[in-house]
Amino acid sequence: MNLQDLITEVAAAGHGATALLVHRRTETPQAPHPDTTGPAAEALERFGARVAVAWNDDDRVFAAAAAAAHRAEAFAACRWMAEALAAT
Amino acid sequence: MLRERRGRVYAGPIGIAPDTAWLTPDPLDPLEVLARVGGRPELQAQSLFVGTVRADADVREVLVLDYEAYAGMAEREMEAICDEAAERFGAVCAMAHRTGPVAVGEPSVAAAVAARTDVVALDACEWMVDSLKVRVPVWKLQRFADGGIEWWEGA
C-alpha cells in the first residue's frame, strides 16, 4: 500500500485540503474487500470530496484519503469513509 | 539569533523541537510528518492532514503563495499545539509548515496524529490544524496570474 499514491490520487482533483486515515486492524480482514463505490459517491455528494481507499491485508491495514476544497469537508469525508470501512 | 531562510523568515530561535514541529523552506514531505508519530503499536489509528496550494482563490488564479513566519514564535506555538493535542486526545502529534514560495499543487502544511481510535485520530488532527490557523504567526502573500498580490494573515 503506497500512501503517497493514495494522496496523489485524491489530490488530483485540485482541492486544497486532504485528510488521510491509516487504520491498523487487530482482527483478520475479511476477503473480498468491500465495494466502496457507494460510500465514495456519497462522500462526493455530501462533502464535495474525492476519496480513495487502499488495503494491505498482510499488515492488516487499510487507509482512506479524502480531498476537498476545505479542511472541514476533507475531515468529514474521511470520517465517513472510515465509518463505512469499519462496518465491514 | 537571526537566521536567514528562503522566503524571509523573521528573527527568533529556530530549531525548537524539530522532531515534532518545524518550519522548513524546503519541499514538505507529508509522509515524513506522518512517520514522526509512528512506532507505537498500541495506537492503531494514524491521521494526516495535508494543505496544498490551490490554483484558485475565489475567482482569481493563483500562481504561488509566499509564506513568511516569525520563526521562533511559530515553532514554539506549533510545539505547544502538539503538546496540547497530545494531552487532550491521548495522542502522538507532529506538524510542519513551509516557508518561502510554494507553487500550486505543492503541500504547504502537514499535521499528523497517532491515536487509539479512528475518531480520536481525526478529531485531534482537525483540532491541530484549526489551532494552527489561528495561533501560529504565519502569513501568506498570494501572487495572482493577473499580476495582483494580496496578504493573508494565518496559514
Side-chain angles (χ1 to χ4, degrees):
Chain A
M1 182 169 60
N2 187 318
L3 295 179
Q4 185 57 59
D5 286 350
L6 202 60
I7 292 171
T8 301
E9 180 180 342
V10 297
H15 294 316
T18 300
L20 172 79
L21 177 74
V22 182
H23 178 99
R24 194 171 299 278
R25 292 174 184 258
T26 53
E27 72 280 11
T28 302
Q30 296 180 351
H33 296 138
D35 181 1
T36 57
T37 305
E42 198 155 346
L44 180 61
E45 185 176 332
R46 284 185 176 216
F47 310 111
R50 177 186 284 197
V51 301
V53 177
W55 285 269
N56 182 340
D57 289 344
D58 292 340
D59 294 330
R60 299 177 178 176
V61 173
F62 71 74
H70 303 288
R71 61 183 183 276
E73 287 88 354
F75 278 111
C78 202
R79 286 188 185 92
W80 173 258
M81 293 305 294
E83 287 177 14
L85 289 166
T88 63
Chain B
M1 179 175 66
L2 179 64
R3 179 170 162 181
E4 292 294 329
R5 285 181 171 176
R6 194 170 71 225
R8 298 186 300 281
V9 173
Y10 293 126
I14 295 175
I16 296 171
D19 54 329
T20 56
W22 68 97
L23 297 170
T24 177
D26 301 318
L28 180 60
D29 179 2
L31 294 183
E32 181 189 345
V33 182
L34 183 65
R36 301 292 177 100
V37 302
R40 295 273 300 271
E42 75 276 19
L43 303 179
Q44 296 179 338
Q46 293 182 338
S47 62
L48 174 69
F49 174 81
V50 185
T52 305
V53 175
R54 286 186 299 168
D56 65 288
D58 296 326
V59 295
R60 300 175 78 181
E61 182 185 353
V62 173
L63 291 180
V64 67
L65 295 187
D66 204 343
Y67 287 91
E68 293 190 8
Y70 181 48
M73 184 182 291
E75 288 181 317
R76 275 196 298 272
E77 197 61 28
M78 289 164 67
E79 180 68 16
I81 290 167
C82 287
D83 289 346
E84 289 173 37
E87 185 172 337
R88 181 185 286 226
F89 297 97
V92 178
C93 309
M95 63 166 59
H97 204 296
R98 273 293 306 271
T99 57
V102 184
V104 169
E106 290 186 10
S108 59
V109 60
V113 172
R116 292 188 181 278
T117 69
D118 299 348
V119 171
V120 173
L122 289 168
D123 285 353
C125 196
E126 187 168 20
W127 182 87
M128 287 172 63
V129 180
D130 288 348
S131 299
L132 181 146
K133 296 284 182 181
V134 297
R135 289 170 49 178
V136 177
V138 175
W139 302 268
K140 62 185 176 187
L141 178 65
Q142 297 187 110
R143 298 184 184 279
F144 297 102
D146 61 14
I149 60 172
E150 191 172 324
W151 278 103
W152 277 76
E153 186 175 353

